Each structure stands twice: as C-alpha cells, then as structure tokens.
Amino acid sequence: MSNGSTFPPRRRFGGTLVVLAALLAACAAGWLVWRSTSGHGGDRPPKALPAASPSSPGGAPGKDGAGGTDRTDDGSGRDGSGRPAPDASDGKGDASGSGPGGRAGTRLKGKTVLLDPGHNIRNRDHTREIARQVDVGNGRKECDTTGTSTDDGYAEAAFTLDVARRARTLLRAEGAKVVFTQDGDRPYGPCVDERARAGNEAKADAAVSVHADGAGAGNRGFHVILPARVTAGAADTSAIVGPSRRLGEHLAGRFVAATGSAPANYLGGGTGLVVRSDLGGLNLSGIPKVFLECGNMRDAKDAAQLTDPQWREKAARGIAEGITGFLTE
C-alpha cells in the first residue's frame, strides 16, 4: 500500500525547475532594463538640435565680430594678461581625455578645426598697428580692434582665449587637430584677413571665431554670425554659405543646451542667427566658418556668466559639441 513516499520527490523536483526558470527570466529582464537605462546602447550623444533656421539679416557694423560698441579696456580683468587663468585648460588635451560627450573618442579623427580667439589682450599697446586698414573683399576694415570688456575690466580678449583653450581640449579628446589663430603668443593681432587665411591654409573642416559682444545694458543672450554671400575682390563665400549655416545651427542648438543661455534679445529675431557681409574673417574664408558672440559683456547679468569659470567651461562644451555635431552629421 502506497503511503505517497514514491511521488513527492518528483513533485519537489518539478517545483524547483519552475522556480529556477522564473529566476532566470527575472534576471534577464533586469539586465535588459539596466542596459536600456545605462546608456550602453550607443556611444554617440544626441545630434544637436538646430536653432530656428531662418536668420535675420543685419547686425550693426562694428568691431570685426560684434554688433555692439567697440570699447578699449585697461586689461585689468581676472586673466587680463592674456595668460590662461588658473582654472583654464592649458590646451594640452589629447585623445585620451574626455570628449564633448563625456567620454574619450575618435569621432573627429582626421578632422581639422580652426579656433579663432577674438582680439588680443595686447592690442591696446599697439593701437597704431591694429588701426591699419586691410582689404576684406567688399571694402576695407581695421586690422583688428581691442575688443570690449565688462564694467569691472574683464577683457573680451582674455575671455575668448580662455574659452577657446577649453574647447580645444574637448575637441582634441575627440581626435581632432585644432589650429589657433593666436594663443596669447603674439604682440598684437593677427589682422582679420590673416585670421581667415589661417583656416584656409590649414584646410580646416570648420572654423569658429569666439567673441563676446559689447552692446548696451539690457541686451542679453548669444548669437551666431553667418557669412553672407559676398563675391567681390578677394572674397567669394559662395561655396561656404550653406555649410556655414549648418555649422551655425548646430552651434546655436548645442550652445543653448550646454549653457542654458537664450538667443540674443536685441538682434536675430530670436533665432540666435545673424547674417553679415562686413566681416573680413568671414568674407575671406574658404572653409565653413561662423562667429559666436557668447553674450553681452556690457550687461551685468550676462557679464556675471562670462566672468564665471564654470560657465566658460559650459560655453566651451557647447562650442565643441556644436562643431562635433556639424562634422559628424
């Protein structure tokens, strides 16, 4: 007579299989959830969201690269000597560093980028030399200007060099070759025609001239200056107008995302994009190139950002990501 001792072992074994199967299914589901949320599904950052594509022509002529008032400063800013501030990158980054997406990469391997830090902190000592007129194709402009400054003396030239050096480190981390028009190593300048020529001679794939504006207080935000179609004298921008616009749109989109800054409220119709035909650095360029006015140094709220090293790092990241987006589109 059976007391049931023959069958219970089989029932227990079958129950064990059911439990094991359930555990395996749960582990697999958990692994899939972890993979989808940890970013391991892809190494490329999201493509830049372009700013509104229609740009407003205009932008008041002023210094080469700004629509505002050109002012001479005393260079007494925090890093007004032209040397990198203690918090600034030394520009010696390489492909082993962290790129714009926060990881080392080679997305820009084989690409050359021209960064043009606007003005020169020593221009103030060479006013005669920088006042010399140079041919920009459709007219003549000053060789260079001193640039503007914040009310407390932080020079635009110090700002542009600091941000460009930070962006250089990020771009090199993505494998790019980065060429500078000046690195605080010149007595003045270079002139605007030489700045354009530097990118042409380097056969750069993209060029960005870094600036900060000098418009009146209350005028806030950034804007990207795109080249107009100019065919006069030595200038012929026909081939670069289209790609320069795409570069500008990538740059505007990424700059917003990285810094939280809004497009300029005083020109560009809220797009952050402006077209100009009076800038030698654009007119004489044979490669895709734009100017970026990162903010307005004469407005107290913008100046507080421009003088903040942490914000400048964000600005550099926006520049690097914008260039990377353009070159990998």
Side-chain angles (χ1 to χ4, degrees):
M1 177 177 176
S2 173
N3 61 6
S5 61
T6 302
F7 298 100
R10 292 186 180 179
R11 288 195 297 270
R12 287 193 298 271
F13 182 68
T16 301
L17 288 177
V18 171
V19 171
L20 287 174
L23 286 173
L24 287 173
C27 289
W31 179 82
L32 289 172
V33 171
W34 170 83
R35 180 176 176 84
S36 66
T37 57
S38 65
H40 287 258
D43 291 331
R44 294 171 67 89
K47 190 174 181 180
L49 295 175
S53 57
S55 67
S56 300
K63 64 187 179 68
D64 197 57
T69 305
D70 183 15
R71 297 178 60 92
T72 302
D73 63 85
D74 62 5
S76 60
R78 280 162 270 300
D79 51 356
S81 65
R83 295 186 296 272
D87 51 82
S89 162
D90 64 4
K92 296 180 181 179
D94 56 34
S96 64
S98 177
R103 56 178 68 86
T106 57
R107 290 182 296 159
L108 298 184
K109 185 177 181 180
K111 301 293 187 180
T112 299
V113 176
L114 185 284
L115 291 180
D116 177 24
H119 311 287
N120 183 324
I121 197 69
R122 300 182 184 88
N123 278 357
R124 63 174 183 260
D125 301 322
H126 297 272
T127 54
R128 179 178 176 182
E129 289 87 348
I130 66 172
R132 178 172 61 88
Q133 298 284 300
V134 298
D135 187 354
V136 298
N138 58 358
R140 298 184 70 80
K141 293 286 293 283
E142 294 171 311
C143 157
D144 200 3
T145 64
T146 59
T148 188
S149 69
T150 63
D151 288 342
D152 63 355
Y154 181 53
E156 179 188 0
F159 167 83
T160 63
L161 189 56
D162 179 73
V163 171
R165 283 170 169 162
R166 293 171 186 268
R168 174 172 60 186
T169 297
L170 296 171
L171 290 165
R172 282 178 170 173
E174 288 291 352
K177 175 183 177 182
V178 182
V179 178
F180 267 33
T181 55
Q182 60 95 10
D183 198 3
D185 53 356
R186 294 178 58 112
Y188 65 90
C191 295
V192 296
D193 55 344
E194 186 179 348
R195 290 173 185 266
R197 189 161 57 249
N200 298 342
E201 292 176 350
K203 296 180 171 59
D205 297 285
V208 174
S209 187
V210 183
H211 287 266
D213 209 353
N219 296 317
R220 296 198 62 196
F222 76 91
H223 65 278
V224 181
I225 303 175
L226 312 176
R229 189 177 186 277
V230 176
T231 54
D236 185 355
T237 62
S238 301
I240 70 164
V241 168
S244 294
R245 172 173 287 277
R246 296 199 307 274
L247 170 60
E249 289 173 346
H250 276 283
L251 190 60
R254 286 299 194 178
F255 199 79
V256 168
T259 65
S261 294
N265 63 5
Y266 58 102
L267 76 179
T271 66
L273 302 175
V274 174
V275 177
R276 286 179 60 172
S277 62
D278 63 316
L279 303 179
L282 296 180
N283 289 0
L284 302 176
S285 180
I287 60 172
K289 184 176 182 180
V290 299
F291 279 40
L292 171 63
E293 299 283 356
C294 296
N296 178 22
M297 294 197 120
R298 309 306 294 178
D299 176 81
K301 292 181 179 179
D302 269 13
Q305 294 179 331
L306 298 169
T307 55
D308 179 6
Q310 293 182 340
W311 189 91
R312 293 199 298 272
E313 185 65 27
K314 293 177 183 178
R317 187 166 297 277
I319 293 169
E321 289 181 350
I323 293 171
T324 300
F326 169 71
L327 293 179
T328 57
E329 65 179 5

